[in-house]
Amino acid sequence: MAKGKVFLPTLLLFYCLQLNHICSSAKPNLIVMLMDDMGWGDLGVYGNPAKETPNMDQMAAEGALLPDFYSGNPLCSPSRASFLTGRLPIRNGFYSTNAHARNAYTPQVIVGGIPDSEVLLSEILGRAGYKSKIIGKWHLGHQQQYLPLRHGFDEFYGSTNCHFGPYDDKGTPNIPVYRNAEMIGRYYEEFQILASGESNMTQLFIEEGLSFIQNQTAEGNPFFLYWAPDATHAPVYASKEFLGRSQRGPYGDAVMELDSGVGKILSLLKQLKIDNNTFVFFMSDNGAAKYSKENGGSNGPFLCGKETTFEGGMREPSIAWWPGQIQPGMVSHQVGSIMDLFTTMVEMAGQSVPKDRIIDGKNLLPSLLKGTVDPDKAMFYYRGNEMMAVRQGLYKAHYWTWTNSIEEFVKSHVNFCPGQNVTGVMTHEQTNHTDSPLLFHLGRDPGEKYIIPSDSAEYKSVMPALKAVVDKHKSNLVLGIPQLNICDPAVQNWAPPGCEKLGKCLPIPKSNPTKCSWPH
């Protein structure tokens, strides 16, 4: 079906948000603040003892805390794809079939990206009259057909890939930074990230966000701001003003600077008197990277971190903010995920989600505005092409367990769970528990340390319902065409759009497509 024919034009002059007492002739502005590798335990309001996030904590005090909220995947690119499509990566194609249950993403050598067949949030909001901008990391493909302005965004300031480097521009090119459809420089060249960790990128991302809000407000446009700074992804960086300020080291410096950006954005909304008409959601793309040890974030009481489907890999520090609508200081224990933001924001804009495909996201407004909890809502934890676990209510069942291979763990010293060791749960071999899934009660045991015995009355009463949820999920699962299977050095950022204007085009090597190797 052609993308422009997915929806019927809306005839609504007014929109009403599910709840009868909230109706308005003005569409609410929408902001998603998506952090990178920030853990559940990094915020003061989530228990971090450093208490270095006063603005994020104040945002929670003025809004709602969602301690049971998840990313769409334990890795960056698939999680971001799940947000913008409202669909699990296994459906939207952001996975690999090169090996079983492997995490895959979009490095420079990846050939694939977000398919045209997927309908993105930015596209739907554009039809409703919204102006959309992404600031920071895109990570859904870097070839021209995958860039943000090809998928509904009006503006783009940031990069297509993570800020890895520096490279020599021979074997590997440095990552380009874009303004809209063209590059304006490269990381480590025009946009410096020094070996000391000093960089002004977060300040640039803050300034871009503030400017976009001011401009759209002045023009009277409803807007969608997708603010996705990546300073907390290794190698972490912060501006000179913030370097050395945190008791947590360089990672904490980056968190403190991002916190200041959150404060500035929310303050501007109040100053412009549009705070009561702006819905803001804060979260992270996946759990903290525990393999960075003291140089990474905290996942609080949860097991393991990024790359895994244990709670530390996918449960995120999440806050919803909408003055005048969300009761200040509320805590919602609704099980939710980043995919729910898709459906919530589509419906807030007076639109409908696509009817020609399964949308995994559900509208969060009943939970946020009325405090309701849907006990039947399920969360599926995928790693690559495998459903590893499921949660419903407070129960979580692991159908597969795996941290990473013993070879990688021993020889390469890659440890996704440093300082933790739960026998029979943290396995270095892919272990299939489908016949008798490992069951945990996340209320009594948030750290997934104590397996509920399979011969217990509790297990026997709970597992049939969970198995029925999984069976239903798999029965209507239509797999997306995997986008993360093929890699080719020729598709790297050698000659991005706009490079010729800057004299920054680099020679493109001969194409040599091969299967990507995903070790974990």
Side-chain angles (χ1 to χ4, degrees), residues 419-434:
Q420 297 174 310
N421 184 19
V422 184
T423 302
V425 178
M426 292 168 50
T427 55
H428 285 296
E429 290 185 358
Q430 293 187 1
T431 306
N432 188 351
H433 305 281
T434 302

mmCIF file of all heavy atoms in Angstrom, residues 419-434:
data_model
loop_
_atom_site.group_PDB
_atom_site.id
_atom_site.type_symbol
_atom_site.label_atom_id
_atom_site.label_comp_id
_atom_site.label_asym_id
_atom_site.label_seq_id
_atom_site.Cartn_x
_atom_site.Cartn_y
_atom_site.Cartn_z
ATOM 1 N N GLY A 419 30.121 -7.772 38.212
ATOM 2 C CA GLY A 419 29.762 -7.799 39.628
ATOM 3 C C GLY A 419 28.512 -8.585 39.940
ATOM 4 O O GLY A 419 28.087 -8.623 41.097
ATOM 5 N N GLN A 420 27.924 -9.234 38.943
ATOM 6 C CA GLN A 420 26.702 -9.998 39.148
ATOM 7 C C GLN A 420 26.912 -11.428 38.650
ATOM 8 O O GLN A 420 27.593 -11.657 37.657
ATOM 9 C CB GLN A 420 25.518 -9.355 38.404
ATOM 10 C CG GLN A 420 25.180 -7.953 38.901
ATOM 11 C CD GLN A 420 24.104 -7.288 38.044
ATOM 12 O OE1 GLN A 420 24.187 -7.257 36.829
ATOM 13 N NE2 GLN A 420 23.094 -6.728 38.698
ATOM 14 N N ASN A 421 26.297 -12.373 39.344
ATOM 15 C CA ASN A 421 26.380 -13.771 38.932
ATOM 16 C C ASN A 421 25.209 -14.536 39.522
ATOM 17 O O ASN A 421 25.208 -14.872 40.703
ATOM 18 C CB ASN A 421 27.707 -14.395 39.363
ATOM 19 C CG ASN A 421 27.852 -15.816 38.856
ATOM 20 O OD1 ASN A 421 27.164 -16.212 37.926
ATOM 21 N ND2 ASN A 421 28.726 -16.587 39.483
ATOM 22 N N VAL A 422 24.195 -14.774 38.710
ATOM 23 C CA VAL A 422 23.023 -15.525 39.146
ATOM 24 C C VAL A 422 23.048 -16.869 38.434
ATOM 25 O O VAL A 422 22.809 -16.959 37.224
ATOM 26 C CB VAL A 422 21.722 -14.762 38.840
ATOM 27 C CG1 VAL A 422 20.528 -15.544 39.393
ATOM 28 C CG2 VAL A 422 21.757 -13.358 39.429
ATOM 29 N N THR A 423 23.363 -17.903 39.168
ATOM 30 C CA THR A 423 23.536 -19.243 38.600
ATOM 31 C C THR A 423 22.257 -19.714 37.911
ATOM 32 O O THR A 423 21.158 -19.603 38.461
ATOM 33 C CB THR A 423 23.920 -20.238 39.707
ATOM 34 O OG1 THR A 423 25.114 -19.782 40.340
ATOM 35 C CG2 THR A 423 24.156 -21.622 39.128
ATOM 36 N N GLY A 424 22.432 -20.229 36.688
ATOM 37 C CA GLY A 424 21.306 -20.770 35.950
ATOM 38 C C GLY A 424 20.480 -19.732 35.221
ATOM 39 O O GLY A 424 19.589 -20.076 34.436
ATOM 40 N N VAL A 425 20.777 -18.462 35.474
ATOM 41 C CA VAL A 425 20.036 -17.374 34.838
ATOM 42 C C VAL A 425 20.948 -16.623 33.871
ATOM 43 O O VAL A 425 20.613 -16.411 32.707
ATOM 44 C CB VAL A 425 19.457 -16.410 35.889
ATOM 45 C CG1 VAL A 425 18.731 -15.238 35.219
ATOM 46 C CG2 VAL A 425 18.506 -17.159 36.817
ATOM 47 N N MET A 426 22.113 -16.226 34.356
ATOM 48 C CA MET A 426 23.108 -15.568 33.512
ATOM 49 C C MET A 426 23.941 -16.658 32.841
ATOM 50 O O MET A 426 24.877 -17.192 33.423
ATOM 51 C CB MET A 426 23.992 -14.649 34.350
ATOM 52 C CG MET A 426 23.258 -13.444 34.906
ATOM 53 S SD MET A 426 24.228 -12.571 36.162
ATOM 54 C CE MET A 426 25.798 -12.386 35.329
ATOM 55 N N THR A 427 23.576 -17.013 31.601
ATOM 56 C CA THR A 427 24.221 -18.122 30.914
ATOM 57 C C THR A 427 25.095 -17.624 29.770
ATOM 58 O O THR A 427 24.713 -16.710 29.040
ATOM 59 C CB THR A 427 23.170 -19.098 30.364
ATOM 60 O OG1 THR A 427 22.241 -18.369 29.534
ATOM 61 C CG2 THR A 427 22.395 -19.749 31.502
ATOM 62 N N HIS A 428 26.259 -18.236 29.618
ATOM 63 C CA HIS A 428 27.153 -17.876 28.520
ATOM 64 C C HIS A 428 26.923 -18.739 27.280
ATOM 65 O O HIS A 428 27.617 -18.583 26.285
ATOM 66 C CB HIS A 428 28.614 -17.974 28.966
ATOM 67 C CG HIS A 428 29.024 -16.847 29.860
ATOM 68 N ND1 HIS A 428 29.063 -15.535 29.444
ATOM 69 C CD2 HIS A 428 29.400 -16.827 31.161
ATOM 70 C CE1 HIS A 428 29.455 -14.754 30.432
ATOM 71 N NE2 HIS A 428 29.658 -15.514 31.489
ATOM 72 N N GLU A 429 25.972 -19.624 27.367
ATOM 73 C CA GLU A 429 25.492 -20.347 26.198
ATOM 74 C C GLU A 429 24.024 -20.000 26.023
ATOM 75 O O GLU A 429 23.291 -19.816 27.006
ATOM 76 C CB GLU A 429 25.637 -21.864 26.384
ATOM 77 C CG GLU A 429 27.076 -22.358 26.378
ATOM 78 C CD GLU A 429 27.159 -23.868 26.449
ATOM 79 O OE1 GLU A 429 26.080 -24.516 26.532
ATOM 80 O OE2 GLU A 429 28.267 -24.403 26.418
ATOM 81 N N GLN A 430 23.590 -19.892 24.774
ATOM 82 C CA GLN A 430 22.169 -19.663 24.538
ATOM 83 C C GLN A 430 21.401 -20.867 25.068
ATOM 84 O O GLN A 430 21.569 -21.984 24.578
ATOM 85 C CB GLN A 430 21.899 -19.462 23.057
ATOM 86 C CG GLN A 430 22.510 -18.189 22.494
ATOM 87 C CD GLN A 430 22.082 -17.928 21.059
ATOM 88 O OE1 GLN A 430 21.299 -18.682 20.473
ATOM 89 N NE2 GLN A 430 22.592 -16.858 20.488
ATOM 90 N N THR A 431 20.585 -20.611 26.077
ATOM 91 C CA THR A 431 19.901 -21.705 26.773
ATOM 92 C C THR A 431 18.402 -21.596 26.556
ATOM 93 O O THR A 431 17.790 -20.565 26.859
ATOM 94 C CB THR A 431 20.221 -21.664 28.281
ATOM 95 O OG1 THR A 431 21.645 -21.662 28.456
ATOM 96 C CG2 THR A 431 19.633 -22.874 28.982
ATOM 97 N N ASN A 432 17.817 -22.646 26.034
ATOM 98 C CA ASN A 432 16.402 -22.693 25.694
ATOM 99 C C ASN A 432 15.601 -23.237 26.877
ATOM 100 O O ASN A 432 15.760 -24.390 27.265
ATOM 101 C CB ASN A 432 16.194 -23.571 24.462
ATOM 102 C CG ASN A 432 14.783 -23.501 23.935
ATOM 103 O OD1 ASN A 432 13.891 -22.933 24.556
ATOM 104 N ND2 ASN A 432 14.561 -24.084 22.761
ATOM 105 N N HIS A 433 14.745 -22.389 27.438
ATOM 106 C CA HIS A 433 13.901 -22.795 28.571
ATOM 107 C C HIS A 433 12.435 -22.921 28.152
ATOM 108 O O HIS A 433 11.551 -22.923 29.016
ATOM 109 C CB HIS A 433 13.996 -21.751 29.698
ATOM 110 C CG HIS A 433 15.385 -21.455 30.159
ATOM 111 N ND1 HIS A 433 16.086 -22.272 31.007
ATOM 112 C CD2 HIS A 433 16.210 -20.412 29.874
ATOM 113 C CE1 HIS A 433 17.284 -21.750 31.247
ATOM 114 N NE2 HIS A 433 17.384 -20.625 30.569
ATOM 115 N N THR A 434 12.181 -22.999 26.853
ATOM 116 C CA THR A 434 10.805 -22.928 26.360
ATOM 117 C C THR A 434 9.897 -23.977 26.995
ATOM 118 O O THR A 434 8.732 -23.702 27.294
ATOM 119 C CB THR A 434 10.784 -23.079 24.824
ATOM 120 O OG1 THR A 434 11.587 -22.040 24.249
ATOM 121 C CG2 THR A 434 9.366 -22.973 24.293
#
